[in-house]
Amino acid sequence: MTERPLTQNIRADGASTFLADYEANGGYSGLRKAVSSMTPESCLDEVKNSRLRGRGGAGFPTGMKWSFVPMGEKAGPGHKYLIANADEMEPGTFKDRLILEQDPHQLLEGMMLAAFTIQADIAYVFLRGEYVLAAERLMQAIAECYEAGYLGDNILGSGYSLHLHLHRSAGRYICGEETALINALEGKRANPRPKPPFPQVAGLWGRPSIVNNVETLCNITHIITHGADWFQTLGRGEDSGTKLFGASGNVKNPGVWELPMGTPVREILEDHAGGMRDGYQLRGFLPGGGSTDFLVEQHLDLAMDYDVIGKAGSRMGTGTMIVLDDRNCPLGMVRNLSRFFAHESCGFCTPCRDGIPWVVQLLDRFEQGQATEDDIALLEEKAAFIGGIGNTHCALAPGAMEPVNSALKYFREDFERHITAGGCTYNGAAGRH
Amino acid sequence: MSDVIATLSPEEISEIEHEIALIPRRDGAAIDALLIVQKHRGWVSDESLRAIARLLEMSAEELDGIATFYNLIFRKPVGEQVILLCDSVSCWLRGCEQVKARLSERLGIGYGETTADGRYTLLPVPCLGACDRAPVMMVGDELHTHLDETDLSVLSPEGAAS
């Protein structure tokens, strides 16, 4: 059994693994096992026992999430839905693209197993519109599955039926939030819904629905195939399984690698990313995408486990790190991120719609040399309010404020210098100077 | 009503009806319908919008609220190819602002504008999910990586992506 299940079919030439090769490497044995010798209950137990946590950013235990779906007669009449969240738009995140383009069947098998567990009869892949190559390859893989009898009515003679569709998004970051995604699937503006009710009970078209990240669903394939006990042995620390970790920015070898949960940050940034490019020093890093708090050099020996990174004041997020170097301005980086979040706010909640542009304006004042000491206090006040849990429907605004708050903590002297020097002293713009 | 809908081609109507058949409500196909019409016409005009709204049995105003919400639905004409230049954080760290400046200089347009010959429209796009190959952009359906502000030969004289 492989120690790198998620990337076992990833080929060096970037070509996709389609059905024949996927099956030759053991593919769809998990599905065969589930529909022939397991029940939805035993599948759910396996996922719970694996201690798999969601790989999309929030880290919620997957088995627990599924356990809220009403089963049997309790579900009432009508469909149940399983949705793969392939709307990869978190800044600095490029892990799901790898699977979607190069091993689409791994995702499809995971979706089938998840759907079987909650007894969903309709599944969607919600794919961001710009992933054109992924769409082509998924379409081919889905067609192969219908042809082979892995999708459709009475799958493998089991009596279980599942129909799967590809939805290509028209593009908004907020579609990655599961209730916003559901609104987008219903053809509406992607405003997040208030919770409760949770999607497990009342999701797509008011019916029980599960939304899981691509990487989360891929893990299901291997948990059902090889078992929860095996899955637990893959992690190096507190958490089980492997993770697609990545690094971008001015490191020597940016990329994405499947490594055990609990791999130390230093190992990822030095051994795999090759350290900083010549002439660049590490200033800090966002451990898991644009909506996670900065960590700095003192955190390099932390293990990439959910609670370890959480205790250090940040979040595992998507596990793809964005590295800040000493030649790019921390305020500039935060301003870039804040502009992104301001643009991508759905506009429903006032702190998010009006507050994040206010933060951008304040950061503009620093950049332009117009800021005073009072502006640091004002920025802190606004960031605390906008980021306050419960002030907005969803986690976009709190996420947006994580890099702002942590930059104020770790790069305070840069804010001060923008005031005393009358603007930015980092050679103007970012880039390869 | 049939006159309004007649502004849509039989092919467009057939593709939209296919989407409607999969879901419980006609207006639930709003986003798919907008994308289908855009695929055929390049953008969604007021006339197209009204026709889609009638076909989906919803108000044009509500449909426009949906159309204008999404980044990839164009309510203005665009060039033969849309350039989506990633301006998010990893590309910023690797010099996308310099690429943008050089691209604007070369094409003579800023964000939201189309070249005089109608060939290209330039738009910023949120993180394209290719951060290990930053800076990146899409030209039409093609992803272009490791952009260098001194060499934008991906924009060939014929207007086709290399």
Side-chain angles (χ1 to χ4, degrees):
Chain A
M1 277 180 268
T2 175
E3 292 178 348
R4 299 285 183 272
L6 298 171
T7 51
Q8 64 185 353
N9 292 321
I10 301 295
R11 294 155 43 153
D13 64 1
S16 197
T17 296
F18 285 113
L19 187 59
D21 289 337
Y22 184 74
E23 285 177 319
N25 206 12
Y28 291 110
S29 58
L31 179 71
R32 289 179 186 280
K33 179 178 170 183
V35 300
S36 65
S37 66
M38 294 178 77
T39 62
E41 295 75 28
S42 63
C43 287
L44 179 62
D45 284 342
E46 206 68 42
V47 174
K48 277 183 181 167
N49 293 338
S50 75
R51 298 190 301 122
L52 173 65
R53 296 176 65 167
R55 303 299 200 227
F60 193 81
T62 306
M64 189 188 293
K65 186 175 190 173
W66 294 1
S67 71
F68 299 121
V69 175
M71 300 298 289
E73 287 183 2
K74 285 184 193 154
H79 300 296
K80 286 199 264 186
Y81 297 97
L82 183 282
I83 302 159
N85 185 346
D87 193 46
E88 184 164 69
M89 286 184 79
E90 177 71 22
T93 299
F94 49 100
K95 64 183 185 68
D96 295 338
R97 181 196 274 272
L98 181 76
I99 305 285
L100 293 162
E101 289 185 348
Q102 297 185 42
D103 196 12
H105 280 288
Q106 183 184 190
L107 169 65
L108 296 180
E109 186 174 3
M111 290 177 71
M112 293 169 199
L113 291 165
F116 176 75
T117 306
I118 63 165
Q119 289 290 291
D121 58 335
I122 299 180
Y124 286 94
V125 179
F126 188 97
L127 181 71
R128 72 174 294 186
E130 297 91 339
Y131 278 14
V132 178
L133 183 61
E136 288 170 9
R137 291 179 171 178
L138 276 165
M139 291 291 278
Q140 182 175 337
I142 292 166
E144 286 181 328
C145 285
Y146 274 104
E147 181 76 19
Y150 294 132
L151 284 172
D153 294 329
N154 191 20
I155 292 168
L156 302 173
S158 65
Y160 174 66
S161 300
L162 178 68
H163 289 268
L164 190 148
H165 309 288
L166 175 66
H167 175 90
R168 296 184 62 188
S169 176
R172 274 306 277 270
Y173 169 70
I174 193 60
C175 292
E177 200 277 345
E178 62 181 11
T179 60
L181 184 155
I182 287 169
N183 274 337
L185 267 184
E186 291 186 4
K188 299 173 184 160
R189 291 168 69 100
N191 299 122
R193 297 175 177 178
K195 293 186 259 191
F198 290 89
Q200 291 97 320
V201 179
L204 185 60
W205 307 114
R207 296 291 303 156
S209 307
I210 284 288
V211 182
N212 280 136
N213 167 260
V214 167
E215 186 185 349
T216 308
L217 289 163
C218 288
N219 276 298
I220 301 301
T221 301
H222 309 293
I223 290 166
I224 297 298
T225 306
H226 302 303
D229 293 341
W230 162 83
F231 189 76
Q232 303 228 37
T233 65
L234 297 178
R236 271 169 67 169
E238 298 171 5
D239 287 311
S240 55
T242 59
K243 175 88 191 70
L244 296 172
F245 290 113
S248 67
N250 283 299
V251 293
K252 276 194 185 128
N253 176 32
V256 56
W257 313 277
E258 183 185 8
L259 300 167
M261 288 295 294
T263 299
V265 176
R266 188 185 295 281
E267 219 173 287
I268 297 168
L269 291 183
E270 293 181 0
D271 297 352
H272 298 280
M276 301 301 290
R277 292 164 73 94
D278 292 338
Y280 292 84
Q281 301 277 325
L282 178 85
R283 282 295 305 278
F285 60 96
L286 305 177
S291 60
T292 57
D293 292 84
F294 278 102
L295 294 176
V296 293
E297 194 164 10
Q298 73 196 61
H299 301 113
L300 284 177
D301 292 312
L302 292 180
M304 282 296 271
D305 275 325
Y306 289 98
D307 293 344
V308 173
I309 299 299
K311 278 177 198 148
S314 188
R315 289 190 304 119
M316 167 82 84
T318 60
T320 42
M321 303 179 196
I322 309 164
V323 178
L324 171 65
D325 56 80
D326 61 336
R327 292 164 71 168
N328 277 300
C329 174
L331 273 73
M333 179 167 167
V334 170
R335 196 165 67 119
N336 175 281
L337 288 162
S338 297
R339 279 182 176 167
F340 167 88
F341 290 114
H343 185 264
E344 293 301 314
S345 169
C346 84
F348 190 86
C349 305
T350 305
C352 185
R353 181 190 60 244
D354 290 353
I356 303 177
W358 193 348
V359 165
V360 173
Q361 282 175 26
L362 282 169
L363 291 167
D364 286 345
R365 287 174 59 82
F366 282 91
E367 173 80 19
Q368 292 154 6
Q370 297 163 349
T372 65
E373 280 291 332
D374 291 345
D375 287 318
I376 295 185
L378 189 58
L379 189 58
E380 281 177 326
E381 182 192 318
K382 294 304 147 207
F385 175 67
I386 297 164
I389 301 294
N391 290 350
T392 49
H393 263 171
C394 82
L396 188 145
M401 291 304 105
E402 289 181 27
V404 178
N405 282 321
S406 51
L408 283 161
K409 178 176 171 186
Y410 291 117
F411 308 120
R412 187 93 182 184
E413 73 279 12
D414 285 281
F415 286 85
E416 304 279 359
R417 197 178 323 121
H418 278 72
I419 297 169
T420 54
C424 187
T425 56
Y426 283 84
N427 289 334
R432 287 162 287 176
H433 305 302
Chain B
M1 175 170 163
S2 58
D3 288 348
V4 180
I5 294 176
T7 63
L8 299 177
S9 72
E11 195 181 358
E12 286 167 323
I13 291 172
S14 150
E15 287 179 41
I16 294 168
E17 290 290 351
H18 172 78
E19 296 296 331
I20 292 170
L22 296 171
I23 53 176
R25 292 171 56 103
R26 294 185 69 82
D27 59 2
I31 295 167
D32 289 314
L34 290 162
L35 289 173
I36 286 166
V37 169
Q38 181 166 288
K39 180 183 74 182
H40 288 281
R41 299 169 190 240
W43 66 296
V44 180
S45 67
D46 288 351
E47 192 187 19
S48 298
L49 186 94
R50 281 193 289 268
I52 299 167
R54 291 294 289 271
L55 188 62
L56 300 181
E57 296 170 9
M58 67 193 294
S59 78
E61 290 75 13
E62 191 184 356
L63 184 63
D64 203 18
I66 294 163
T68 53
F69 184 88
Y70 291 97
N71 294 334
L72 298 178
I73 292 172
F74 308 133
R75 286 285 282 116
K76 289 182 188 171
V78 292
E80 289 162 38
Q81 291 198 298
V82 176
I83 300 174
L84 298 175
L85 180 67
C86 177
D87 66 351
S88 290
V89 62
S90 299
C91 284
W92 181 84
L93 287 164
R94 297 283 299 134
C96 69
E97 289 188 343
Q98 286 87 334
V99 172
K100 156 69 170 56
R102 183 74 184 87
L103 207 53
S104 279
E105 183 188 294
R106 167 138 178 199
L107 297 172
I109 53 172
Y111 282 141
E113 295 175 349
T114 301
T115 54
D117 62 4
R119 193 168 282 169
Y120 295 115
T121 297
L122 180 62
L123 294 173
V125 71
C127 183
L128 277 173
C131 318
D132 50 340
R133 295 171 278 172
V136 300
M137 66 178 177
M138 294 192 75
V139 182
D141 283 346
E142 293 286 328
L143 178 70
H144 296 274
T145 64
H146 302 106
L147 298 178
D148 182 337
E149 71 269 22
T150 62
D151 173 22
L152 291 171
S153 55
V154 291
L155 303 177
S156 71
E158 294 78 33
S162 61

